[in-house]
């Protein structure tokens, strides 16, 4: 009998497909084999071998090649169902690429089996198109979006509305967080769920503060303006002060702060300014009303709210030098980026210390100054005997070096005469051996200080012996919580990068909702022990997703997903609080330091008892470096004469001088593609009913319209949920306004359902919190579009105001 081999010379297009299948299989087989040696899944290697066999057989025109590819498709489907279940984004890398190749294999059936199979081939190809088309449409649906409960209509506490503690007119936005409680809630209701879709740009103002040509982009203005009386006040990325007409956006005055580029630490940011009314002057006097800011180059500046001129009676001609007593430092090593609260006549100032430079970096001291004169009042320094300085350190003295710093926005409470300080780590985030007991007691905490004396009142710690950069970036939000007898308890929300939200009595720091100490893993870095337990807020919903596993590694294709699987298996990971490991072992931190709630904080509607928080779910990939490795990489602290600009900054590799190690910290991404290795969504927004302390709704925040692999925008509103920075603003019109995401949109959501009712494209990245106010009954919503270098959104200098027609 004669054996006939069909189509031993396949057409060029089919041979190209066969080559792609064979080479794809080879890559997956080799990579999957290595994954097996790391203890990983056998699916990639098995699928790779089948693909390799299919490609080789198809190149030879063998029918078995099509059957082998059918096995690839079926096994991929089984793998997807086992590892991803109904998680939509988990299907993309496992079935997307396989389905595209299956389409072409289906078209090859007549070449392999004869014309009788042409109809079957077309039918299977059509099935592949339908499968892929359904997946494409599904990408535009917000997955992980849930409406879980009805929204409450009544206050959490009988009679507990916003008006009681607002200390401002309903039409104003008087402080960074709208009120001194930092609720970010406005009682305005001209713009509602019914008419918000009609919002249009009312005016746009440009500050002119942009990255200078030829310099690295460090810009991220993060500014939220305030509106008091007849003025809209803001600071630019480098601390220039501006007053605008709130109706037209016309500039009324401008004060040039003179901040130099060299003074910018990690980020050129000025989150906001503080309004103050003098108690020692009369209305109409110069500087009776003041605008106060603290700067990147460590000054407090006070100007007249009406003219923008320096208040000559404040400090030295309107300015206070914050570098006094700081010892040795260099520009860019210390800076203030948050508005200082003024509590009963005391300006309280914190500052950031550039991360991971050296253990004995400048102090993280907190200081109080007289709001009238700028005179020094006190300094809280945890390692100083007694903890308090009553005078600025003199010659040969300095504030204790390397102590935990505070860079987030503080909250003041005039009624209790307290200021609440969100702290970070001691200097050198990832090595704790040389930290003192006093430092360990107050790091990654809220510390309550007496605003008049600076004396410590209480401490609530959110992380023990922090080695994960879980400093508290969020401003604490104050509210009234019902006690067992129904009486109001002065309370506080403490949002964290972990996605844990703690609720405490702000008089004492004692938890009002359950906090559980759970066992935490130990590390193996010599003489660098971790705490045996860590606190978990069990009384509030966690803003986060389940722990990572190999099956939750992601990619656009099976190849980048395989890369992420391998990197996951190469790293040490045992869940939250995975500890630093001795070199060269990398480890994964999830959520990372940009996870959970960051400097945008949370927003609270006291009239309905609804908490709204946008948050991130992004991991970090970290490794300690020996000092020899650090030297080879030329990693030196910013104050070391050997330091090279661009090496060893706050992000990425850090020198951590004065310790045995340097550190390499980076987002867990695919190099080149710049896509994260964990499954989407990466950014979410959640509303919580504080009556029941359960979520009302949550949804992904941000689309891929301005994002994509290789940094190329897709220009498609794929609801992937992007990383976000900046908070939300709430109104009595039942609306949530939020930008923050990397798609450069500002949105309005229904606070009751989470439904998106309106959006607009901003001229630059919207990594700042919006605000709202009204003039003559007309409500405006304002958003700073300044971009953010770390979030990779375009820089800008735009202040955009929206209103109804």
């Amino acid at each position: 009998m004669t054996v006939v081999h069909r189509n031993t010379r396949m057409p060029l297009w089919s041979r190209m497909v066969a080559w792609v299948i064979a080479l794809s299989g080879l890559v997956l087989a080799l990579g999957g084999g290595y994954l097996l040696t790391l203890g990983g899944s056998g699916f990639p290697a098995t699928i790779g071998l089948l693909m390799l066999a299919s490609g080789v057989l198809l190149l030879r025109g063998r029918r078995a090649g099509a059957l082998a590819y059918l096995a690839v498709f079926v096994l991929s489907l089984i793998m997807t169902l086992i590892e991803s279940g109904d998680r939509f984004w988990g299907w993309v890398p496992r079935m997307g690429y396989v389905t595209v190749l299956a389409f072409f294999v289906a078209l090859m059936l007549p070449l392999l089996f004869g014309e009788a199979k042409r109809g079957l081939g077309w039918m299977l190809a059509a099935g592949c198109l339908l499968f892929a088309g359904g997946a494409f449409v599904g990408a535009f649906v917000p997955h992980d979006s849930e409406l879980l409960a009805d929204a409450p209509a009544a206050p959490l506490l009988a009679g507990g509305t916003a008006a009681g503690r607002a200390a401002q007119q309903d039409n104003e936005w008087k402080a960074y967080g709208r009120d001194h409680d930092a609720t970010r809630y406005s009682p305005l209701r001209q713009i509602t769920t019914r008419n918000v879709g009609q919002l249009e740009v009312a005016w746009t103002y440009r500050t002119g503060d942009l990255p200078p040509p030829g310099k690295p982009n460090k810009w991220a203005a993060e500014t939220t303006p305030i509106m008091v009386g007849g003025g809209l006040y803001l600071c630019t990325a480098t601390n220039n002060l501006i007053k605008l007409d709130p109706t037209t956006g016309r500039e009324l005055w401008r004060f040039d702060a003179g901040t130099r580029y060299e003074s910018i630490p990690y980020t050129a940011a000025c989150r906001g300014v503080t309004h103050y009314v003098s108690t020692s002057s009369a209305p109409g006097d110069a500087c009776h009303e003041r605008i106060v800011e603290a700067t990147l180059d460590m000054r407090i500046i006070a100007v007249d709210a009406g003219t923008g001129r320096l208040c000559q009676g404040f400090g030295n001609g309107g300015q206070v030098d914050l570098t006094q007593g700081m010892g040795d430092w260099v520009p860019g090593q210390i800076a203030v980026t948050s508005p200082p609260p003024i509590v009963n006549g005391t300006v309280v100032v914190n500052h950031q210390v550039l991360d991971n430079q050296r253990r004995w970096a400048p102090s993280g001291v907190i200081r109080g100054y007289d709001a009238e004169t700028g005179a020094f009042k006190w300094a809280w320094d945890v390692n100083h005997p007694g903890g308090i300085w009553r005078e600025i350190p003199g010659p040969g003295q300095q504030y204790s070096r390397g102590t935990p710093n505070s860079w987030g926005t503080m909250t003041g409470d005039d009624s209790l005469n307290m200021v609440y300080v969100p702290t970070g780590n001691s200097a050198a985030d990832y090595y704790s051996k040389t930290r003192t007991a006093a430092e360990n007691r107050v790091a990654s905490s809220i510390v309550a200080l007496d605003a008049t004396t600076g004396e410590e009142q209480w401490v609530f710690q959110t992380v023990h012996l922090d080695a994960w950069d879980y400093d508290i970036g969020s401003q604490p939000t104050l509210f009234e919580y019902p006690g067992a007898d129904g009486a109001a308890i002065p309370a506080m929300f403490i949002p964290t990068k972990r996605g844990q939200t703690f609720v405490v009595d702000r008089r004492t720091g004692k938890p009002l909702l359950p906090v559980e100490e759970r066992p935490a893993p130990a590390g193996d870095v010599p003489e660098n022990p971790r705490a045996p337990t860590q606190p978990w807020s069990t009384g509030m919903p966690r803003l986060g997703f389940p722990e990572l596993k190999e099956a939750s590694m992601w990619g656009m294709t099976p190849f980048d997903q395989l890369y992420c699987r391998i990197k996951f298996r190469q790293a040490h990971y045992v869940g939250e609080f995975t500890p630093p490991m001795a070199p060269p072992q990398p480890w994964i931190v999830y959520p990372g330091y940009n996870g959970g709630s960051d400097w945008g904080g949370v927003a609270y509607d006291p009239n309905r008892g609804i908490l709204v928080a946008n948050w991130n779910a992004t991991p970090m990939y970290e490794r300690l470096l020996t000092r020899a490795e650090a030297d080879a990489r030329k990693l030196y602290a910013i104050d070391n004469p050997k330091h090279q600009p661009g090496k060893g900054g706050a992000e990425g590799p850090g020198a951590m001088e004065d310790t045995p190690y340097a550190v390499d910290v980076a987002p867990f991404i695919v190099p080149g593609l710049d896509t994260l290795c964990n499954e989407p969504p990466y950014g979410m927004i959640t509303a919580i009913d504080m009556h029941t302390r359960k979520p009302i709704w949550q949804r992904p925040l941000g689309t891929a319209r301005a994002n994509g692999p290789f940094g190329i925008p897709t220009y498609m509103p794929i609801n992937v949920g992007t990383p976000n920075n900046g908070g939300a603003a709430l109104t009595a019109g039942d609306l949530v306004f939020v930008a923050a995401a990397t798609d450069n949109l500002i949105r309005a959501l229904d606070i009751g359902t989470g439904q998106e009712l309106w959006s607009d494209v901003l001229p630059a990245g919207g990594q700042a919190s919006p605000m709202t106010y009204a003039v003559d009954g007309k409500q405006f919503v304002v958003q700073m579009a300044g971009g953010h270098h770390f979030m990779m959104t375009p820089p800008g200098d735009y202040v955009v105001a929206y209103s109804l027609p």
Side-chain angles (χ1 to χ4, degrees):
M1 180 177 67
T2 302
V3 178
V4 178
H5 295 290
R6 276 190 181 275
N7 303 309
T8 53
R9 288 291 301 167
M10 303 284 283
L12 176 63
W13 71 267
S14 61
R15 280 184 282 134
M16 291 176 63
V17 170
W19 271 111
V20 169
I21 293 172
L23 292 174
S24 298
L26 180 63
V27 171
L28 290 176
L30 292 174
Y34 177 56
L35 179 65
L36 276 171
T37 68
L38 298 173
S41 169
F43 277 126
T46 306
I47 290 171
L49 289 171
L50 285 170
M51 287 185 80
L52 178 60
S54 172
V56 170
L57 290 168
L58 289 173
L59 280 170
R60 295 182 177 183
R62 306 299 195 201
R63 297 173 176 176
L67 298 176
Y69 199 84
L70 175 63
V72 168
F73 190 90
V74 171
L75 184 59
S76 297
L77 186 60
I78 292 171
M79 174 183 68
T80 304
L81 291 169
I82 291 173
E83 291 190 337
S84 296
D86 60 355
R87 298 195 317 273
F88 173 84
W89 292 111
W91 285 65
V92 172
R94 294 169 174 85
M95 295 303 301
Y97 184 76
V98 167
T99 301
V100 170
L101 293 180
F103 169 80
F104 291 103
V105 172
L107 295 180
M108 293 168 66
L109 292 188
L111 302 174
L112 298 168
F113 293 92
E115 287 299 317
K117 299 298 182 182
R118 182 174 296 277
L120 176 63
W122 281 106
M123 183 177 69
L124 292 175
C128 291
L129 286 177
L130 286 173
F131 188 81
F136 181 75
V137 171
F140 295 90
V141 177
H143 300 278
D144 294 277
S145 181
E146 301 175 288
L147 178 58
L148 301 167
D150 293 330
L156 182 62
L157 195 70
T161 66
R165 293 177 51 84
Q168 62 187 308
Q169 300 298 314
D170 284 356
N171 69 307
E172 294 181 313
W173 189 284
K174 200 172 184 178
Y176 173 70
R178 200 267 163 174
D179 45 45
H180 295 305
D181 288 349
T183 62
R184 298 168 178 81
Y185 170 83
S186 168
L188 295 178
R189 59 176 72 240
Q190 183 189 55
I191 303 171
T192 68
T193 55
R194 293 186 177 184
N195 62 21
V196 68
Q198 302 173 43
L199 277 187
E200 59 185 26
V201 174
W203 52 261
T204 299
Y205 172 81
R206 300 196 66 174
T207 69
D209 196 341
L210 289 165
K215 298 280 190 180
N217 174 26
K218 294 184 175 184
W219 256 239
E222 301 179 1
T223 307
T224 299
I226 64 172
M227 189 277 189
V228 186
L232 186 71
Y233 303 93
L234 67 143
C235 53
T236 71
T238 57
N239 305 121
N240 299 325
L241 295 171
I242 297 169
K243 179 181 181 179
L244 303 178
D245 182 313
T247 303
T248 65
R250 180 174 63 90
E251 184 180 303
L252 301 178
W253 58 251
R254 182 187 187 95
F255 173 82
D256 188 341
T259 305
R260 297 165 57 95
Y261 180 87
E262 292 72 22
S263 297
I264 299 171
Y266 167 56
T267 293
C270 181
R271 295 189 185 94
V273 298
T274 305
H275 176 263
Y276 177 68
V277 178
S278 171
T279 58
S280 62
S281 62
D285 291 349
C287 286
H288 177 66
E289 288 193 50
R290 306 174 184 184
I291 299 299
V292 179
E293 72 163 345
T295 67
L296 296 171
D297 57 3
M298 297 294 285
R299 291 173 289 159
I300 307 174
I301 297 175
V303 301
D304 185 290
T307 65
R309 297 191 183 97
L310 287 168
C311 295
Q312 296 301 316
F314 181 86
N316 182 13
Q319 305 186 57
V320 170
D321 181 3
L322 294 174
T323 66
Q324 293 181 334
M326 294 299 295
D328 294 333
W329 61 278
V330 297
Q333 192 173 17
I334 50 178
V336 188
T337 54
S338 294
I342 299 177
V343 187
N344 293 329
T346 300
V347 183
V348 184
V349 185
N350 61 2
H351 61 270
Q352 65 169 273
V353 179
L354 194 65
D355 282 347
N356 295 322
Q357 299 304 295
R358 63 169 64 253
R359 172 64 184 100
W360 306 118
S363 178
V365 62
I366 308 298
R367 288 168 283 182
Y369 296 83
D370 189 298
E372 296 290 330
T373 67
F376 176 85
K377 296 181 74 171
W378 53 261
W380 177 71
D381 175 355
V382 294
N383 281 343
H384 183 64
I388 299 292
W389 294 79
R390 297 300 177 192
E391 295 180 347
I392 296 173
Q397 297 179 310
Q398 61 179 313
Y399 298 119
S400 304
R401 296 185 74 84
T403 54
N405 72 88
S406 169
W407 58 268
T409 305
M410 299 176 285
T411 303
D413 189 336
D414 287 338
S415 63
L416 296 176
N417 197 41
M418 290 188 196
V419 61
Y420 303 109
V421 182
T423 66
N425 291 348
S426 302
D429 285 332
Y430 301 93
Y431 186 76
S432 59
K433 176 187 175 183
T434 56
R435 299 175 189 172
T436 67
E439 292 173 56
N440 288 334
R441 184 178 60 82
V442 302
S444 301
S445 302
I446 296 295
V447 179
L449 303 178
D450 183 287
T452 303
T453 67
E455 292 173 352
E456 185 182 303
Q457 303 300 296
W458 55 259
V459 176
F460 180 86
Q461 191 162 64
T462 63
V463 180
H464 308 318
L465 273 177
D466 187 356
W468 302 273
D469 199 7
Y470 281 155
D471 46 5
I472 301 179
S474 298
Q475 182 182 25
T477 291
L478 312 184
F479 73 114
E480 308 302 307
Y481 188 79
D485 58 357
I489 298 175
M492 174 194 296
F493 292 112
I494 305 175
T496 70
K497 292 181 177 182
R498 296 173 51 208
Q500 301 280 331
T501 305
F502 298 92
V503 177
V504 303
D505 185 326
R506 65 177 184 266
R507 299 169 300 185
T508 64
K510 302 297 184 185
L512 293 173
L513 295 176
V515 175
E516 182 179 302
E517 288 284 341
R518 296 181 179 175
D524 70 347
V525 180
E527 300 183 275
N528 193 41
R530 303 273 52 85
T533 65
Q534 295 289 355
W536 292 72
S537 176
T538 57
M540 287 285 288
R542 185 186 178 191
L543 304 175
F545 292 124
E547 293 179 351
L548 299 177
K549 53 186 178 180
E550 184 198 319
S552 61
M553 294 298 99
W554 198 73
M556 301 289 290
T557 70
F559 309 109
D560 45 327
Q561 188 203 33
L562 178 58
Y563 170 86
C564 293
R565 284 180 183 263
I566 290 171
K567 295 297 287 185
F568 178 82
R569 287 293 180 179
Q570 287 175 334
H572 181 63
Y573 180 72
V574 290
E576 190 163 342
F577 295 112
T578 294
M581 303 297 288
Q585 177 66 57
W587 72 94
I588 295 171
V589 177
Y590 181 72
Y593 63 66
N594 198 40
S597 299
D598 205 354
W599 53 263
V602 297
Y604 180 65
D605 179 350
N607 289 329
R608 298 178 66 178
I610 300 176
L611 181 73
V612 176
N614 50 297
W615 49 278
N616 290 318
T618 51
M620 305 300 291
Y621 204 88
E622 305 178 353
R623 186 169 79 86
L624 291 177
L625 308 174
T626 64
R627 190 54 57 196
E629 287 180 280
D631 291 344
R633 292 194 187 191
K634 294 182 170 54
L635 296 180
Y636 302 105
I638 189 174
D639 58 355
N640 188 320
K642 296 180 180 180
H643 176 76
Q644 299 179 13
K647 287 184 176 288
E651 307 295 342
M656 289 210 308
E657 290 194 35
D658 313 319
T659 78
Y661 305 104
V663 67
D664 193 351
V665 179
F668 190 9
I669 62 173
V670 181
L673 282 178
D674 291 337
T675 53
L676 283 159
C677 272
N678 59 314
E679 272 184 25
Y682 307 120
M684 299 285 289
I685 185 166
T686 302
I688 297 171
D689 181 349
M690 285 305 298
H691 299 258
T692 63
R693 299 180 298 281
K694 295 184 182 301
I696 304 167
W697 53 262
Q698 70 175 16
R699 55 171 291 145
L701 178 63
T703 69
R705 63 167 298 278
N707 305 275
F710 306 105
I712 301 172
T714 67
Y715 299 105
M716 293 186 290
I718 298 172
N719 276 284
V720 70
T722 70
N724 58 87
N725 262 328
L730 313 181
T731 74
D734 294 331
L735 291 169
V736 179
F737 289 100
V738 62
T742 57
D743 59 3
N744 307 333
L745 296 179
I746 180 172
R747 296 173 164 80
L749 310 179
D750 185 323
I751 196 172
T753 64
Q755 180 184 357
E756 185 176 313
L757 303 176
W758 167 86
S759 68
D760 190 48
V761 179
L762 294 166
Q767 283 67 54
S769 302
M771 53 86 72
T772 185
Y773 60 87
V775 180
D776 297 328
K778 187 175 185 65
Q779 185 178 354
F780 295 82
V781 175
V782 172
Q783 175 70 44
M784 177 73 200
H788 201 292
H789 64 104
F790 176 72
M791 306 296 285
M792 295 186 288
T793 57
D797 63 341
Y798 303 87
V799 182
V800 185
Y802 297 89
S803 65
L804 295 173

